[in-house]
mmCIF file of all heavy atoms in Angstrom:
data_model
loop_
_atom_site.group_PDB
_atom_site.id
_atom_site.type_symbol
_atom_site.label_atom_id
_atom_site.label_comp_id
_atom_site.label_asym_id
_atom_site.label_seq_id
_atom_site.Cartn_x
_atom_site.Cartn_y
_atom_site.Cartn_z
ATOM 1 N N PHE U 349 -11.859 2.999 -14.208
ATOM 2 C CA PHE U 349 -11.677 3.246 -12.813
ATOM 3 C C PHE U 349 -11.305 4.686 -12.552
ATOM 4 O O PHE U 349 -10.295 5.134 -13.001
ATOM 5 C CB PHE U 349 -10.428 2.309 -12.388
ATOM 6 C CG PHE U 349 -10.037 2.469 -10.981
ATOM 7 C CD1 PHE U 349 -10.986 2.233 -9.939
ATOM 8 C CD2 PHE U 349 -8.771 2.834 -10.617
ATOM 9 C CE1 PHE U 349 -10.613 2.402 -8.610
ATOM 10 C CE2 PHE U 349 -8.423 2.975 -9.332
ATOM 11 C CZ PHE U 349 -9.327 2.847 -8.309
ATOM 12 N N LEU U 350 -12.202 5.353 -11.851
ATOM 13 C CA LEU U 350 -12.044 6.771 -11.452
ATOM 14 C C LEU U 350 -11.463 6.802 -10.061
ATOM 15 O O LEU U 350 -12.190 6.779 -9.109
ATOM 16 C CB LEU U 350 -13.285 7.522 -11.591
ATOM 17 C CG LEU U 350 -13.913 7.610 -13.071
ATOM 18 C CD1 LEU U 350 -15.259 8.285 -12.992
ATOM 19 C CD2 LEU U 350 -12.945 8.216 -14.047
ATOM 20 N N ASP U 351 -10.170 6.930 -9.901
ATOM 21 C CA ASP U 351 -9.520 6.972 -8.580
ATOM 22 C C ASP U 351 -9.539 8.352 -8.047
ATOM 23 O O ASP U 351 -9.475 9.329 -8.786
ATOM 24 C CB ASP U 351 -8.068 6.448 -8.675
ATOM 25 C CG ASP U 351 -7.445 6.113 -7.371
ATOM 26 O OD1 ASP U 351 -8.270 6.111 -6.366
ATOM 27 O OD2 ASP U 351 -6.261 5.912 -7.303
ATOM 28 N N GLU U 352 -9.754 8.429 -6.736
ATOM 29 C CA GLU U 352 -9.824 9.781 -6.038
ATOM 30 C C GLU U 352 -10.902 10.679 -6.632
ATOM 31 O O GLU U 352 -10.689 11.852 -6.878
ATOM 32 C CB GLU U 352 -8.476 10.452 -6.037
ATOM 33 C CG GLU U 352 -7.352 9.693 -5.302
ATOM 34 C CD GLU U 352 -7.675 9.357 -3.877
ATOM 35 O OE1 GLU U 352 -8.671 9.836 -3.324
ATOM 36 O OE2 GLU U 352 -6.894 8.519 -3.277
ATOM 37 N N ILE U 353 -12.118 10.122 -6.795
ATOM 38 C CA ILE U 353 -13.198 10.830 -7.376
ATOM 39 C C ILE U 353 -13.633 12.002 -6.396
ATOM 40 O O ILE U 353 -14.229 12.931 -6.819
ATOM 41 C CB ILE U 353 -14.415 9.902 -7.671
ATOM 42 C CG1 ILE U 353 -15.339 10.624 -8.658
ATOM 43 C CG2 ILE U 353 -15.095 9.447 -6.422
ATOM 44 C CD1 ILE U 353 -16.388 9.786 -9.283
ATOM 45 N N GLY U 354 -13.300 11.918 -5.179
ATOM 46 C CA GLY U 354 -13.665 12.951 -4.221
ATOM 47 C C GLY U 354 -12.958 14.275 -4.517
ATOM 48 O O GLY U 354 -13.359 15.308 -4.046
ATOM 49 N N ASP U 355 -11.850 14.232 -5.359
ATOM 50 C CA ASP U 355 -11.153 15.431 -5.762
ATOM 51 C C ASP U 355 -11.685 16.060 -7.031
ATOM 52 O O ASP U 355 -11.220 17.036 -7.504
ATOM 53 C CB ASP U 355 -9.742 15.171 -5.892
ATOM 54 C CG ASP U 355 -9.041 14.827 -4.531
ATOM 55 O OD1 ASP U 355 -8.958 15.709 -3.716
ATOM 56 O OD2 ASP U 355 -8.558 13.701 -4.396
ATOM 57 N N MET U 356 -12.711 15.418 -7.584
ATOM 58 C CA MET U 356 -13.247 15.874 -8.889
ATOM 59 C C MET U 356 -14.068 17.165 -8.687
ATOM 60 O O MET U 356 -14.932 17.215 -7.796
ATOM 61 C CB MET U 356 -14.138 14.796 -9.555
ATOM 62 C CG MET U 356 -14.667 15.164 -10.925
ATOM 63 S SD MET U 356 -15.559 13.824 -11.593
ATOM 64 C CE MET U 356 -14.237 12.734 -12.138
ATOM 65 N N PRO U 357 -13.864 18.208 -9.502
ATOM 66 C CA PRO U 357 -14.645 19.458 -9.391
ATOM 67 C C PRO U 357 -16.139 19.184 -9.532
ATOM 68 O O PRO U 357 -16.530 18.258 -10.307
ATOM 69 C CB PRO U 357 -14.081 20.314 -10.576
ATOM 70 C CG PRO U 357 -12.821 19.800 -10.850
ATOM 71 C CD PRO U 357 -12.856 18.325 -10.580
ATOM 72 N N LEU U 358 -16.894 19.985 -8.979
ATOM 73 C CA LEU U 358 -18.436 19.817 -9.000
ATOM 74 C C LEU U 358 -18.990 19.851 -10.443
ATOM 75 O O LEU U 358 -19.836 19.082 -10.786
ATOM 76 C CB LEU U 358 -19.099 20.876 -8.137
ATOM 77 C CG LEU U 358 -19.076 20.707 -6.633
ATOM 78 C CD1 LEU U 358 -19.592 21.950 -5.907
ATOM 79 C CD2 LEU U 358 -19.980 19.517 -6.225
ATOM 80 N N GLU U 359 -18.452 20.768 -11.237
ATOM 81 C CA GLU U 359 -18.999 20.865 -12.540
ATOM 82 C C GLU U 359 -18.667 19.584 -13.392
ATOM 83 O O GLU U 359 -19.475 19.150 -14.268
ATOM 84 C CB GLU U 359 -18.414 22.091 -13.343
ATOM 85 C CG GLU U 359 -16.946 22.090 -13.512
ATOM 86 C CD GLU U 359 -16.197 22.760 -12.412
ATOM 87 O OE1 GLU U 359 -16.718 22.913 -11.290
ATOM 88 O OE2 GLU U 359 -15.007 23.159 -12.632
ATOM 89 N N MET U 360 -17.537 18.926 -13.093
ATOM 90 C CA MET U 360 -17.224 17.682 -13.775
ATOM 91 C C MET U 360 -18.091 16.567 -13.272
ATOM 92 O O MET U 360 -18.428 15.635 -13.946
ATOM 93 C CB MET U 360 -15.745 17.404 -13.651
ATOM 94 C CG MET U 360 -15.282 16.166 -14.413
ATOM 95 S SD MET U 360 -15.622 16.266 -16.210
ATOM 96 C CE MET U 360 -14.735 17.769 -16.654
ATOM 97 N N GLN U 361 -18.389 16.630 -11.925
ATOM 98 C CA GLN U 361 -19.275 15.567 -11.338
ATOM 99 C C GLN U 361 -20.603 15.514 -12.060
ATOM 100 O O GLN U 361 -21.124 14.477 -12.308
ATOM 101 C CB GLN U 361 -19.490 15.790 -9.867
ATOM 102 C CG GLN U 361 -18.233 15.716 -8.998
ATOM 103 C CD GLN U 361 -18.469 16.129 -7.518
ATOM 104 O OE1 GLN U 361 -19.551 15.970 -7.042
ATOM 105 N NE2 GLN U 361 -17.417 16.586 -6.924
ATOM 106 N N ALA U 362 -21.155 16.684 -12.369
ATOM 107 C CA ALA U 362 -22.414 16.786 -13.074
ATOM 108 C C ALA U 362 -22.365 16.102 -14.469
ATOM 109 O O ALA U 362 -23.275 15.421 -14.917
ATOM 110 C CB ALA U 362 -22.865 18.210 -13.212
ATOM 111 N N LYS U 363 -21.246 16.266 -15.139
ATOM 112 C CA LYS U 363 -21.030 15.708 -16.503
ATOM 113 C C LYS U 363 -20.872 14.198 -16.350
ATOM 114 O O LYS U 363 -21.360 13.411 -17.223
ATOM 115 C CB LYS U 363 -19.891 16.373 -17.205
ATOM 116 C CG LYS U 363 -20.086 17.822 -17.490
ATOM 117 C CD LYS U 363 -18.916 18.456 -18.180
ATOM 118 C CE LYS U 363 -19.236 19.906 -18.435
ATOM 119 N NZ LYS U 363 -18.102 20.633 -19.109
ATOM 120 N N ILE U 364 -20.178 13.744 -15.314
ATOM 121 C CA ILE U 364 -20.018 12.263 -15.127
ATOM 122 C C ILE U 364 -21.339 11.607 -14.878
ATOM 123 O O ILE U 364 -21.707 10.576 -15.363
ATOM 124 C CB ILE U 364 -19.069 12.000 -13.911
ATOM 125 C CG1 ILE U 364 -17.650 12.464 -14.218
ATOM 126 C CG2 ILE U 364 -19.067 10.491 -13.516
ATOM 127 C CD1 ILE U 364 -16.969 11.706 -15.299
ATOM 128 N N LEU U 365 -22.192 12.281 -14.042
ATOM 129 C CA LEU U 365 -23.555 11.773 -13.757
ATOM 130 C C LEU U 365 -24.358 11.666 -15.040
ATOM 131 O O LEU U 365 -25.052 10.661 -15.185
ATOM 132 C CB LEU U 365 -24.225 12.703 -12.759
ATOM 133 C CG LEU U 365 -25.663 12.305 -12.290
ATOM 134 C CD1 LEU U 365 -25.644 10.952 -11.604
ATOM 135 C CD2 LEU U 365 -26.340 13.326 -11.526
ATOM 136 N N ARG U 366 -24.238 12.619 -15.884
ATOM 137 C CA ARG U 366 -24.948 12.588 -17.214
ATOM 138 C C ARG U 366 -24.504 11.411 -18.041
ATOM 139 O O ARG U 366 -25.386 10.693 -18.646
ATOM 140 C CB ARG U 366 -24.685 13.907 -17.938
ATOM 141 C CG ARG U 366 -25.536 14.062 -19.148
ATOM 142 C CD ARG U 366 -27.061 14.159 -18.912
ATOM 143 N NE ARG U 366 -27.808 14.288 -20.129
ATOM 144 C CZ ARG U 366 -28.137 15.435 -20.668
ATOM 145 N NH1 ARG U 366 -27.736 16.643 -20.114
ATOM 146 N NH2 ARG U 366 -28.819 15.565 -21.747
ATOM 147 N N VAL U 367 -23.251 11.174 -18.048
ATOM 148 C CA VAL U 367 -22.767 9.983 -18.836
ATOM 149 C C VAL U 367 -23.261 8.627 -18.265
ATOM 150 O O VAL U 367 -23.713 7.800 -18.955
ATOM 151 C CB VAL U 367 -21.233 9.977 -18.859
ATOM 152 C CG1 VAL U 367 -20.691 8.730 -19.561
ATOM 153 C CG2 VAL U 367 -20.737 11.192 -19.597
ATOM 154 N N LEU U 368 -23.275 8.571 -16.862
ATOM 155 C CA LEU U 368 -23.727 7.371 -16.233
ATOM 156 C C LEU U 368 -25.220 7.171 -16.525
ATOM 157 O O LEU U 368 -25.684 5.968 -16.668
ATOM 158 C CB LEU U 368 -23.516 7.434 -14.745
ATOM 159 C CG LEU U 368 -22.062 7.468 -14.327
ATOM 160 C CD1 LEU U 368 -21.963 7.538 -12.791
ATOM 161 C CD2 LEU U 368 -21.324 6.289 -14.767
#
Side-chain angles (χ1 to χ4, degrees):
F349 177 59
L350 297 177
D351 196 12
E352 299 303 350
I353 197 167
D355 291 296
M356 182 178 285
L358 282 169
E359 62 271 18
M360 186 57 60
Q361 293 175 29
K363 294 178 180 181
I364 294 293
L365 180 63
R366 184 68 179 267
V367 174
L368 294 180

